[in-house]
Structure formats: structure tokens, C-alpha cells
Amino acid sequence: MMRDPRYDVLFEPVRIGPLTAKNRFYQVPHCNGMGRTYPSSMAEMRGIKAEGGWAVVCTEEVEIHHSAEYSPGIEGRLWDDSDIPIFARMTDKIHRFDSLAGIELGYAGTAASNRYSREIPMAPTHRPIDGYDPVQARTMDRADIKAVRQWHIDAARRARTAGFDLIYVYVGHALSIQMHFLSRQRNTRTDEYGGSLENRVRLFREILEETKEAVGDTCAVAVRFAVDEMRGPDGITSDAEGRDIIEMLAEEPDLWDVNVSDWHNDSITSRFAQQGYQENYISFVKSLTSKPVVGVGRYTSPDAMVSLVKRGVMDFIGAARPSIADPFLPKKIEEGRLDDIRECIGCNICVSGDYLATPIRCTQNPTMGEEWRRGWHPERIQPRGSDGRVLIVGAGPAGLECALALGNRGYAVTLAEATKELGGRVVQESRLPGLAEWSRVRDFRQGQIARMNNVEVFLDSRMDAAGAIEFGADHIVVATGSTWRKDGIGRENATPIDGWDQPHCFTADDVMSGRPLTGPIILFDDDHYYIGGVLAEKLRADGHEVVLVTPAADVSHWTHNTMEQGRIQTRLLEMGVDILALHNLVAIRNSEAEFACVYTDRKQVRQCGSLVLVTARDPRDALYHDLQDAPEALKEAGIKSVKRIGDCLAPGTIAASTYSGHRYARELDEPLQSGVPFRRELPQLADEKQVP
Ligand code: ADP
Ligand code: SF4
């Protein structure tokens, strides 16, 4: 297939300083939890982006000096020459596909507390570091400023040696010293680096000029700049200093990569913002510079991309998450395969990898982060290992992904689903406030499977053990999901909560299926991811009085890792949801619910019409156990294996389910591996005789 000529504009080459990018698809810098700790994993992942057609592929933030480091966070590291080979491997992989490699050099200032190096962080004016580490940064004197400038020059030269084409000066996300100098609140200096905007821009300008001088003859020098800190007039705003700064430096860099700050605002989840949410902030930039501009906004629609270029909003379509969910997005547009695009759902599970200092993962793309260590390619999978037929029971994210990947391997697959719809939990959850895009998990797979002759789907087909055995497949995969517990057992309560079995007690499933509830409602959330918070939001929007009670210090606590917690709690408070934190639900007596403070055990009682318990889930694994209990019948029917995947194996995230389904498909008919099932890269041991 050929691409639609409407999209030709996206495939025009664009000059960036001394370089030419082959098209307008630009993978902006993004963290990946692999970086310096899992270097081959990082390099392979970036190489696959290049293979997928991104004309520019960038690193994550790269530390330029040991006095500004994010340990145990895993970012890039270019402290000295010994770090060069890691990046050389990455650039080599990118260059194989004629893409340009970019590196985001950053000096963290107060954004990092130097837990590993134990150096004292530096700031324009002494301040506590960001976050709660008991560390304060010291005020930089002139020699410190000079030193940081030199470190940036050194890092830029090393980056060039490592093969990078595009070298960033990073002034974004409140994660770099240049940005700290810009801030009137962080910078109260009275010398030539503080006070007037001209003075606060000085360090940014100097580093930009010096980077150009050092490497600008052969490399392009890009700036990543946050035009708006989203903090109102106290911060940089796109209609005041953000604009002024672009005006002041308009022609200085070879490229402007512009966004909003901090990262919470830049990478908002789909629950809180739609595709294109940054346009209003950044659209002025192109009118002030002749240099190419790149912006982001979780763009997955080629029509939206074309419109951005045609309307003169940006020259490059920047993407982090859309390139994670589908590294081959450009190729698919180029080849006219729009239905094959795996669209990002905006859940920020990818971000959680970075937050938890572990390799990146993605709800939509189960191969993300597994490219090197498991050899999983997002678009290629090995052919089937036998003519075996596979029956998959349950068409949630796990069953759907399993069917798709097995279908791609060429197996004859039957997918049997009890309900009238595909999608499992995402059918219900995507109807909750803000979660509509989650249906993309189903839509993509449903669309793909519909075109496969070797995958047949039966809806309205509840399977029991006899039916599954009778079906006559070689392999049975049980992907029947999970149900929310009724009895309140969860993290805080190891035994059922006293009084849980009364008629006014409900589960998350009851609420999602529309069971009518009488207010006022108490929702007890001992799950701590998004469901408790989003159900409270829904019930409040339905007009109920709602109290959300949680044993944690704040609502939906785990969503700190998806950068949503602040927004969730703000929204609930603004809607009038009452929040009782740090309390456990200990007993339910008719209309009274008794709570205990998790510290003092001091009790309090609240009245309610209904209680919603969001605690833990039970795997829906009766079918699996029934099959296990019938070994003779399985043998007689010639069934070679019965396995459970996804929530049926152990309830988890949707990302865990797509991964589980994909893994099953990759491993079917493959020799069983003993030991660690993926490749590891071990640190190089130092010479024992080395004198410290
Ligand atoms: P996962 O995230 O593991 O895919 P879900 O709960 O989203 O889990 O999906 C499980 C799916 O399995 C649901 O669509 C459910 O209707 C279906 N299902 C459960 N039990 C059966 C059964 N016995 N036969 C067929 N489908 C079933
Ligand atoms: Fe998008 Fe979620 Fe994948 Fe991140 S994890 S790229 S937000 S689908």
C-alpha cells in the first residue's frame, strides 16, 4: 500500500542547522528506566524507533556531571569518556536507519539530591532540593557557574564523539539549572545572573553559545524550552517571559523543542487532557523564529499532524508516548496502514517505569522495554512452532493480545468470550469519567483480529470445562479475568471486614455495571491505583454525597507513579468529595461504618446509605481449576497444555495483561528456558588490584 497523498507533507525533509531530517517525525527525549543501567536495552529500543521511521530519535535526559545526578533514578549519564561507548551503541543503531540521533544534556541543579555522589547540589540561590530529601543546594558562585558551563562544553564534545547529530541545551521541566536561573522565585541573585530577565537568561544564553561553538560546525544544537510553567504569573508564562525568552534567543539554536513544564504538565494522562493539549501554549513560537519548531501533544492522528504543519504550529511532530505505544507509527502512515497504528491510551504506565527506576513498559505495546532482553520486536514475531490449534477463553486485554500475537505467528486461534462484546475490563472502565481512550486497547486488537483468517471469534460464548475440552484444541488459554472482592480483604485487612455481607455493600464491579446505589456513599479504597478515585468521581458526578476513605496518606496513591495523583485529588476535592485519609474500614453495622486511624487505632463512625469496597480482586479461575481437575479428560481429548494468563493468573494492570497475553504467544512451542528468562547485562568488574 502507498500512503495517502494528504500525508505527503509529513514526509518532507526538514533542515536542522547543518543537518537534514528525512521526515517530520521526531521522537523527543523521553525517560525509559533503562538508560545507563540497562544500556543494551536502551540502545535496542532507540534503534527500533529509528527502524520505525522516526527521523530524529533522542535520548532521555543525560547527566553531564556527577554533581547533578538522579540516583536511583535511571537516566543517561555522560560524566566522562568512559560513558561514551554506551551512547555510541545507541547512535550506531539509529544511524543504520538513516535517522538522526539527539542527546538531551542536562545539569539538574535542585532537581536532584545526588544520593550516589553525595556532592552538594547547586542552585542560583540556596534552596532545599525539589522533593523531600533532607538536602539543600548551595548558592553558586562565579567559579561554579564557570565550571557548569565548562562541563556542558565537555559533555557536548563527548556527545559528538559518541556519534550524536543533535545536541540539546535542556531548559525544560524545571529539571535543569538554566531553567532554575530563569525563575524569579528560585533565583534571587543580585549579580549579573539575577534580577532582570536579561540577567536570568544569561546562563542559558552562554551555554547555548558555547555549545554551538564547541560542536555546532557538524552538529545541530537544539533547545528544549518550557514556554509555560503552568504556575500562573509566579512562573514563566507563554504570554510573558516565555515569549520574551524565545524573542531574545529566536535565531540562536538550530531548533526549538517547546513544551510546558513540569513533566506532570507536559505528559498529562488522557484522563485529564486530550491530544493537542499544548497547542495553545506553544503555537506562538513559529511566528518568532525561522528555525524549525517541534512540539508534543500525544498526537496519534495523521490528520491532526498534517493540520499542525499546514497551520504553521510546528515543523516536526514531536512524540514520546505515541512512539512508545507504536515505534512504527511513521512507517505505518507512510505505507498507508493507518488501521495498524497502536494508539497510545494516555495511561502513563510508561512513566511509572522511570518513577520506579525500572525498565519502561507500555499498556499498548507489550514489547516496549523487552526488545533486547527478550528479543521482542514490536512488528515481527517468529512463525508458529507447530500446527497446534489454540482455544483462548476470555477476550479482555490478555485474551485479545494473546489471540493477536498467536494469529501473527500463524496459529489457528479461537477466541471465546462470554459477553456480547470484546474488551473485558476495558469495556466497563472506558465508560468511567476520563477513561474513554482506554477502549483503544480493545479497538486496535479487535481491528487487527478481524482481518485475520486464522483467528475466529465467538461472542456470547461462555465456556465451561466440558465445552473447552470438547472444543478439541491442542492448547487452552484461560484468560477469564478477575472480579472485585466483596469481603474487604486487601492490603490493610487480612480477614473479611466485619459486616461486609450486608445488602448495602457493593463492589467496584457493581458500580461499573450500573447497580443503583443509595447515598450518602462511603467508598473504601484499599486498592490505591485509579479505580477507587475514578469511581468516587463518577458517583459524585451522579449526584451522590461521597466520602472516600483510604488507609494511605492520599487518594489513588500509586498514581504518583503516573503523575496523576495531584490532579485526581484536586478534582475530587473540587467536586465536593469528602476525603478521609489514613483510616482503615474495620466494621459495617447497618448504616454505620466504623473506621480506625492507621496510627492510633482511634475510632470514628460515619453514616452511609451504601458502602463501596475497592480492595482486592479475585482471579476468575474456576474454569482453569476445573480443567486441572480433569487430567484424564484432557489427555483423552489430546489437549497438550492448559495455561492461565492476565488477571486470571493474578489480577494486575491492563499493561500486565497485554504483556501476559503476548508472552504466552511468544513462548508457545518454544523450548522451555531454565533460569532467568531474559538476557542480562552485568557490570564490568574493576581490577581488584586497582588502588582506590
Ligand atoms: P484480562 O485483563 O486478564 O484480559 P478481563 O477481566 O479484562 O481480564 O477479561 C476477561 C474476559 O473473560 C471478560 O471479557 C469475561 O467476560 C471473559 N470470561 C470470563 N469467564 C469466561 C468464560 N467462562 N467463558 C468465556 N469468557 C469468559
Ligand atoms: Fe501511552 Fe500508556 Fe503506552 Fe505510555 S504506557 S505510551 S501512556 S499507552
Side-chain angles (χ1 to χ4, degrees), residues 393-399 416-419 423-426 461-463 479-482 620 623 645-648 657:
V393 183
E417 164 56 43
T419 68
R425 62 186 278 193
V426 301
S461 304
R462 180 170 296 279
M463 298 293 274
T480 45
S482 63
R620 210 188 268 126
L623 170 61
I645 60 170
D647 289 343
C648 172
S657 283

Side-chain angles (χ1 to χ4, degrees), residues 583-584 586-587 589 593-597 600-605:
H583 278 75
N584 185 29
V586 289
R589 284 180 228 100
E594 188 179 39
F595 298 96
C597 168
T600 63
D601 208 32
R602 212 169 283 146
K603 305 282 191 314
Q604 61 169 282
V605 167

Side-chain angles (χ1 to χ4, degrees), residues 321 324-325 344-350 361-364:
R321 290 173 292 175
I324 293 167
C344 164
I345 70 164
C347 62
N348 279 6
I349 281 291
C350 49
R361 56 210 59 194
C362 169
T363 300
Q364 276 286 58

Side-chain angles (χ1 to χ4, degrees), residues 214-390:
V215 296
D217 50 341
T218 53
C219 297
V221 177
V223 165
R224 185 156 228 213
F225 177 57
V227 296
D228 204 306
E229 289 184 282
M230 315 287 271
R231 295 170 52 204
D234 283 346
I236 292 167
T237 57
S238 55
D239 55 5
E241 288 193 344
R243 189 187 175 93
D244 298 340
I245 292 166
I246 300 256
E247 252 171 354
M248 288 163 78
L249 300 174
E251 298 300 313
E252 300 302 319
D254 294 315
L255 172 138
W256 283 100
D257 174 349
V258 284
N259 61 2
V260 295
S261 176
D262 53 8
W263 192 15
H264 296 74
N265 293 320
D266 186 19
S267 296
I268 306 189
T269 54
S270 59
R271 186 167 167 189
F272 295 98
Q274 304 307 309
Q275 170 177 274
Y277 55 90
Q278 298 201 20
E279 186 181 327
N280 288 343
Y281 296 95
I282 60 109
S283 55
F284 74 90
V285 177
K286 259 193 76 64
S287 67
L288 298 180
T289 176
S290 68
K291 305 293 177 174
V293 172
V294 53
V296 291
R298 217 164 46 77
Y299 293 105
T300 53
S301 148
D303 293 305
M305 296 174 192
V306 167
S307 160
L308 289 165
V309 177
K310 295 233 155 122
R311 287 183 294 118
V313 179
M314 51 181 87
D315 303 285
F316 284 104
I317 310 303
R321 290 173 292 175
S323 77
I324 293 167
D326 197 337
F328 274 60
L329 189 147
K331 271 261 175 309
K332 289 174 182 176
I333 297 174
E334 189 172 23
E335 293 168 3
R337 298 192 291 126
L338 302 194
D339 291 344
D340 293 344
I341 297 173
R342 212 168 27 238
E343 286 184 287
C344 164
I345 70 164
C347 62
N348 279 6
I349 281 291
C350 49
V351 171
S352 73
D354 184 63
Y355 264 67
L356 299 170
T358 43
I360 189 168
R361 56 210 59 194
C362 169
T363 300
Q364 276 286 58
N365 174 10
T367 68
M368 179 47 56
E370 307 295 340
E371 300 86 350
W372 181 80
R373 71 171 182 176
R374 287 186 191 272
W376 290 2
H377 188 279
E379 300 300 316
R380 285 194 295 275
I381 193 163
Q382 79 275 29
R384 66 178 190 266
S386 74
D387 291 334
R389 298 196 326 142
V390 187

